[in-house]
């Protein structure tokens, strides 16, 4: 039987400023999907990186008085450095201005689309938002401003290369409607279908060398133009695999993957669910199988973004409150659909309730009873007894429930399925009252002793199941629980505190 192979990618952000919590959400979601599939036995490759070849980066570098490459390198390093504070397990990190794989792959993709007759040059005038790096029609603006950034677009007139997007409308609609190209959640899929039904227009795929300030990849055979940042950036999903060279990674991870999964924010859906698939169709390459779309994080109702100045530093949060506290809030509190408003108080409250008060308290309670009543030696469970039925059922169901939730791109539902074991285990303790069973055993009731063994075994099995199922979500905390339950000569270690309460804002 062939081992499933899953290729997971994030978008690559502009590096006009340091990373913020909004992008950390996408990184953590992608990391969970990758860890989960590895945990289930898949071969997995997780890619992230930075989008360096943007006019936004050039303008930000000029504002700081730095050479563009120096500016880009500094900020790209901050994105790559999120690996440790967020406990990320990415296998590859691409910097589009530095990585030698990228230019070769972009040029190869361009030439394949040109060979299909889908690239042509024309004069164009339009309203251009630098923040989005995108042209808009007046109808797409809100009171004359970009809906994403709240800024008035610039009127730009120049001659560029265009891509024949209109040629692919019918094929894209069929692919998305059939689920062959899966866009989730449904609200975003409907948004994409409405965009297609409204009529797809050819879009500009280059910028003049002058307006780009000479920054970017030159258009093959036309040095007066540079490749438009979105064409350039979208290509990273295959250029990082050596597309256009003889690197076997491209065949292994793009052509022969079971799933090719893109995680994206709602603001870039059209690029990933319309432009990118059309480019691949033109080039004769396989399409992604899944485009999974998350909504935004906000602070006081305002989108977290570099351009708006509304930012929260994820590395600083992890240093202050712990890696898993940050990961857990992003996974447990952010809904599948709809924006989520972030505060430090909410992060602390969630971590204290679930880790110190929930998981940590449960494991400490169970291990303490195992030592108090059985000197830390508990035989494996041999079946449910009265009072453990619901807990046993929750443990049996959890893997399928987590698999189904993550297949549906629903992290809150997945973490909720795991957390039901904590809730059922606490109910089990309250219902079976092991201390009373121990007292009855000491009074000579052998059946009470047998039942005590079964209850303790069920509780320890539940704690081990929690450790196993939490590993993709909060790897450090899962490892801490596993260490507390690791037996030496059949005996679990003495109970010790696993999670302290966090010193939150105002404490």
């Amino acid at each position: 039987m062939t081992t499933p192979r899953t290729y997971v990618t994030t978008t690559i952000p502009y590096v006009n400023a340091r990373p913020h919590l909004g992008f950390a959400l996408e990184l953590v979601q992608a990391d969970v999907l990758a860890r989960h599939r590895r945990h289930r036995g898949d071969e997995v490759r997780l890619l992230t990186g930075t989008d360096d070849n943007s006019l936004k980066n050039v303008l930000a570098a000029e504002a700081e008085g730095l050479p563009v490459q120096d500016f880009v390198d500094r900020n790209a390093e901050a994105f790559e450095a999120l690996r440790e504070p967020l406990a990320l397990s990415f296998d590859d990190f691409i910097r589009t201005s530095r990585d030698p794989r990228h230019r070769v792959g972009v040029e190869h993709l361009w030439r394949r689309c040109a060979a299909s007759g889908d690239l042509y040059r024309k004069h164009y005038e339009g309203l251009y938002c630098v923040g989005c790096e995108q042209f808009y029609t007046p109808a797409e603006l809100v009171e004359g401003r970009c809906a994403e950034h709240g800024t008035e677009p610039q009127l730009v007139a120049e001659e560029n290369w265009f891509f024949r997007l209109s040629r692919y409308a019918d094929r894209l609609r069929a692919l998305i409607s059939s689920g062959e190209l899966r866009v989730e959640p449904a609200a975003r899929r409907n948004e994409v279908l409405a965009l297609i039904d409204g009529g797809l227009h050819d879009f500009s795929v280059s910028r003049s060398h002058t307006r780009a300030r000479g920054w970017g990849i030159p258009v093959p055979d036309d040095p007066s133009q540079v490749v438009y940042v979105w064409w350039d950036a979208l290509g990273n999903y295959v250029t990082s695999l050596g597309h256009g060279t003889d690197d076997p990674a491209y065949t292994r991870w793009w052509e022969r993957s079971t799933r090719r999964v893109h995680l994206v924010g709602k603001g870039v859906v059209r690029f990933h669910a319309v432009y990118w698939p059309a480019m691949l169709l033109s080039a004769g390459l396989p399409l992604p199988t899944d485009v999974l779309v998350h909504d935004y994080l906000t602070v006081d109702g305002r989108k977290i973004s570099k351009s708006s100045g509304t930012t929260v530093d994820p590395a600083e949060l992890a240093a202050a409150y712990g890696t898993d506290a940050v990961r857990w809030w992003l996974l447990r509190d952010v809904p599948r659909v709809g924006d989520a408003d972030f505060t430090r108080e909410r992060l602390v409250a969630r971590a204290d309730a679930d880790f110190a008060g929930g998981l940590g308290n449960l494991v400490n309670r169970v291990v303490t009873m195992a030592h108090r009543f059985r000197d830390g030696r508990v035989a494996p469970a041999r079946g449910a007894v009265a009072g453990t039925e619901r807990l046993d059922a929750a443990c049996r169901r959890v893997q399928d429930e987590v698999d189904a939730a993550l297949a549906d791109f629903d992290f809150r539902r997945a973490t909720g399925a795991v957390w039901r074991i904590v809730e059922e285990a606490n109910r089990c303790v309250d219902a079976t009252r092991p201390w009373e069973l121990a007292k009855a055993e000491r009074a000579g009731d052998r059946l009470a002793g047998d039942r005590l063994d079964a209850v303790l075994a069920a509780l320890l099995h539940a704690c081990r199941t929690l450790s196993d199922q939490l590993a993709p979500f909060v790897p450090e905390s899962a490892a801490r629980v596993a260490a507390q339950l690791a037996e030496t000569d059949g005996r679990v270690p003495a109970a010790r505190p696993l999670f302290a309460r966090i010193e939150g804002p105002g404490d």
Side-chain angles (χ1 to χ4, degrees):
M1 183 177 176
T2 304
T3 301
R5 190 174 295 151
T6 303
Y7 180 42
V8 182
T9 73
T10 72
T11 55
I12 52 173
Y14 300 131
V15 289
N16 57 312
R18 292 177 59 83
H20 59 66
L21 190 63
F23 184 60
L25 169 66
E26 186 170 304
L27 286 170
V28 170
Q29 288 178 335
D31 183 71
V32 170
L33 293 184
R35 287 179 182 271
H36 172 253
R37 293 320 312 167
R38 292 188 194 110
H39 200 53
R40 297 294 189 259
D42 286 16
E43 295 180 39
V44 175
R45 184 182 182 96
L46 174 57
L47 169 72
T48 187
T50 54
D51 182 358
D52 301 352
N53 296 324
S54 162
L55 180 58
K56 290 175 71 169
N57 300 338
V58 175
L59 297 176
E62 289 177 352
E64 285 201 29
L66 291 175
V68 179
Q69 190 68 65
D70 292 351
F71 175 85
V72 164
D73 287 345
R74 183 196 70 190
N75 285 347
E77 286 169 5
F79 280 87
E80 191 167 7
L82 289 176
R83 176 189 285 275
E84 296 304 323
L86 294 179
L88 303 174
S89 61
F90 53 80
D91 302 286
D92 194 4
F93 190 99
I94 187 168
R95 299 185 186 183
T96 58
S97 68
R98 282 286 189 192
D99 198 308
R101 298 172 295 179
H102 189 62
R103 178 168 176 170
V104 172
V106 167
E107 290 173 343
H108 188 71
L109 185 64
W110 182 282
R111 291 186 190 281
R112 289 185 70 116
C113 292
S116 294
D118 286 330
L119 297 177
Y120 63 95
R121 232 182 130 142
K122 77 167 187 177
H123 182 80
Y124 183 78
E125 291 186 5
L127 298 170
Y128 187 73
C129 173
V130 175
C132 294
E133 296 276 12
Q134 178 182 344
F135 282 101
Y136 286 104
T137 65
E140 292 176 307
L141 303 176
V142 178
E143 297 181 352
R145 296 178 178 270
C146 165
E148 186 79 9
H149 294 94
T151 56
E152 293 184 6
Q154 302 172 0
L155 180 62
V156 172
E158 62 182 16
E159 186 167 289
N160 298 142
W161 286 92
F162 275 70
F163 175 75
R164 296 186 194 279
L165 180 65
S166 54
R167 175 179 287 181
Y168 295 96
D170 290 343
R171 291 176 68 184
L172 288 171
R173 191 178 213 300
L175 287 163
I176 294 167
S177 297
S178 69
E180 186 174 346
L181 173 54
R182 176 173 172 252
V183 180
E184 289 290 343
R188 299 302 167 205
R189 179 170 61 254
N190 293 337
E191 175 186 319
V192 172
L193 291 172
L195 176 67
I196 295 170
D197 288 344
L200 294 183
H201 304 286
D202 298 352
F203 69 98
S204 172
V205 293
S206 73
R207 298 291 177 265
S208 71
H209 185 274
T210 301
R211 189 156 70 86
R213 313 287 211 276
W215 182 252
I217 296 173
V219 167
D221 308 315
D222 186 357
S224 71
Q225 299 272 308
V226 299
V227 177
Y228 170 51
V229 63
W230 274 104
W231 179 287
D232 175 323
L234 289 166
N236 93 94
Y237 304 125
V238 294
T239 66
S240 61
L241 302 173
H243 176 64
T245 72
D246 57 1
D247 189 335
Y250 171 76
T251 299
R252 178 178 180 80
W253 292 105
W254 192 258
E255 291 185 342
R256 297 182 181 171
S257 273
T258 311
R259 309 300 298 179
R260 295 175 292 275
V261 182
H262 295 327
L263 271 73
V264 309
K266 66 180 179 181
V268 295
V269 175
R270 73 165 66 193
F271 298 103
H272 289 83
V274 178
Y275 292 11
W276 174 231
M279 291 161 57
L280 292 168
L281 288 170
S282 174
L285 304 180
L287 271 58
T289 58
D290 304 80
V291 177
L292 306 179
V293 187
H294 62 83
D295 286 359
Y296 290 149
L297 296 185
T298 61
V299 173
D300 296 328
R302 296 177 60 206
K303 176 194 170 190
I304 295 177
S305 73
K306 298 186 292 292
S307 56
S308 72
T310 308
T311 62
V312 178
D313 185 336
E316 183 273 324
L317 277 184
Y321 305 117
T323 293
D324 280 357
V326 176
R327 286 176 67 104
W328 192 243
W329 185 84
L330 292 171
L331 299 165
R332 188 92 160 100
D333 280 24
V334 174
R336 181 172 182 257
V337 176
D339 296 343
D341 204 59
F342 170 79
T343 68
R344 292 171 184 259
E345 290 79 7
R346 288 174 183 150
L347 183 149
V348 169
R350 173 58 73 184
D352 281 348
D354 284 3
F355 290 114
L359 178 64
N361 182 61
L362 172 66
V363 174
N364 187 276
R365 193 179 188 190
V366 170
V367 173
T368 296
M369 289 190 295
H371 274 268
R372 180 180 175 191
F373 304 136
R374 292 293 184 264
D375 193 32
R377 301 178 188 275
V378 177
R382 293 192 295 272
V385 297
T388 69
E389 300 94 341
R390 287 178 53 172
L391 175 59
D392 293 334
C395 291
R396 285 194 306 271
R397 290 194 307 262
V398 66
Q399 180 163 311
D400 288 343
E401 290 177 342
V402 169
D403 287 353
L406 292 184
D408 204 30
F409 194 52
D410 194 334
F411 297 91
R412 190 151 73 173
R413 196 172 97 218
T415 53
V418 177
W419 217 250
R420 273 193 290 279
I421 296 176
V422 176
E423 296 163 351
E424 292 298 345
N426 281 320
R427 288 192 191 102
C428 177
V429 172
D430 294 339
T432 59
R433 304 176 73 83
W435 51 92
E436 292 186 358
L437 294 174
K439 182 178 179 180
E441 181 185 35
R442 289 194 298 271
D445 186 345
R446 290 179 58 187
L447 290 177
D450 291 343
R451 189 173 177 218
L452 176 60
D453 284 336
V455 169
L456 291 176
L459 290 168
L460 280 170
H461 173 68
C463 291
R464 290 191 171 103
T465 301
L466 281 167
S467 172
D468 180 64
Q469 295 298 321
L470 282 170
F473 303 98
V474 280
E476 294 177 5
S477 297
R480 201 175 301 174
V481 173
Q484 173 67 89
L485 301 172
E487 295 182 359
T488 302
D489 297 327
R491 188 171 185 265
V492 296
R496 60 187 182 277
L498 292 180
F499 306 104
R501 285 182 57 81
I502 296 174
E503 291 292 324
D507 287 354

